[in-house]
Amino acid sequence: MKKTHPTTHALLAFLSLVCLLFSSSFSGFIPVTTVVNAPISGIEPVSNFPTITNFVHTLNLTSPETVVTGVYIPNTFAYGVVQQPAGSPGFVSAENDVLTQFGMAGSYGTTGLLAHNNLAGTSFSFVQPGQTIVAVQGDGTLEYYHVYAVEKYQALSPNSPYSNFRSLDVPGQDLSATELFMHVYAQPGNLVLQTCIANGDQQSWGRLFILAEPISEFVPQPVQIEPGC
């Protein structure tokens, strides 16, 4: 299958960004990633953690190469990925151990993956800068990313995707939803994991973002699936 050249991805993302910046109708959108009144899902101890090959065997690889079907962090988690329904940028799967690809982020060249903080997102707190994330594309190709930052924000309107945000890492820094969206999701080629931060009884009090950039020395490799697997 023919790959799109990285320069083309960057150009398309840049043109989309220009259109966004000059559009008076755009309002940043940061999905609310928590399930109201849902129990907190416990994290099972890592035992018999699957190899990347075994994990890929469990995924549906009939999707286009631009669709992420799984995400793997060695000895941390291995989750399948579903897509948002058309016209539903706030949709986040309520299934445990499943992430949701954020379509709006893809429009700006970034792979955004969402999870509720009382389901799969619970394990995001274990991810630290320096770790490697492996994204399994729809055609079985593995793409590698380096986690370079973990950022946390308080949502000043916790249940609104249009909330303003206050940085928990940079004192005095407040961002609108548009500014935070551009900072996190208008980064062509990057991968972002997002979930909510709970505080007391408020499950959607804040937002957590795990920011990762492509590892250039890794050449994406397809995993060979043997017949019958």
Side-chain angles (χ1 to χ4, degrees):
M1 184 177 293
K2 185 177 179 181
K3 297 281 186 182
T4 303
H5 194 277
T7 302
T8 303
H9 282 303
L11 177 59
L12 292 174
F14 174 75
L15 292 175
S16 296
L17 178 59
V18 170
C19 291
L20 180 147
L21 289 175
F22 285 93
S23 171
S24 60
S25 62
F26 177 79
S27 180
F29 189 96
I30 303 294
V32 179
T33 43
T34 191
V35 179
V36 177
N37 296 326
I40 303 234
S41 174
I43 296 296
E44 296 294 330
V46 175
S47 61
N48 299 319
F49 198 83
T51 65
I52 184 63
T53 301
N54 289 340
F55 171 60
V56 172
H57 285 170
T58 69
L59 302 174
N60 178 4
L61 297 180
T62 62
S63 303
E65 64 185 48
T66 55
V67 172
V68 176
T69 58
V71 175
Y72 181 94
I73 301 181
N75 298 313
T76 304
F77 62 69
Y79 292 145
V81 177
V82 299
Q83 303 301 303
Q84 293 180 320
S88 300
F91 171 82
V92 182
S93 174
E95 295 182 59
N96 200 11
D97 300 335
V98 172
L99 309 184
T100 302
Q101 188 162 1
F102 184 23
M104 190 178 288
S107 299
Y108 298 96
T110 300
T111 299
L113 299 171
L114 313 172
H116 291 301
N117 63 336
N118 33 23
L119 296 174
T122 309
S123 54
F124 286 8
S125 62
F126 295 101
V127 182
Q128 301 294 327
Q131 286 187 271
T132 297
I133 300 176
V134 185
V136 184
Q137 304 300 111
D139 62 352
T141 297
L142 304 182
E143 296 191 348
Y144 295 80
Y145 297 84
H146 171 261
V147 177
Y148 66 87
V150 176
E151 298 185 359
K152 300 177 182 179
Y153 297 85
Q154 177 187 357
L156 301 184
S157 300
N159 297 316
S160 172
Y162 304 104
S163 172
N164 290 332
F165 295 88
R166 178 160 296 158
S167 174
L168 301 180
D169 307 303
V170 181
Q173 183 185 70
D174 285 4
L175 300 174
S176 67
T178 299
E179 290 170 329
L180 183 57
F181 180 94
M182 299 303 295
H183 169 65
V184 172
Y185 288 119
Q187 306 297 329
N190 282 7
L191 180 145
V192 178
L193 303 177
Q194 178 195 327
T195 192
C196 277
I197 299 171
N199 187 0
D201 295 332
Q202 178 54 263
Q203 286 294 316
S204 55
W205 179 85
R207 306 291 184 269
L208 170 71
F209 299 95
I210 297 168
L211 311 179
E213 57 191 357
I215 299 177
S216 58
E217 60 264 31
F218 278 96
V219 177
Q221 296 293 330
V223 173
Q224 298 298 321
I225 306 298
E226 297 180 2
C229 291

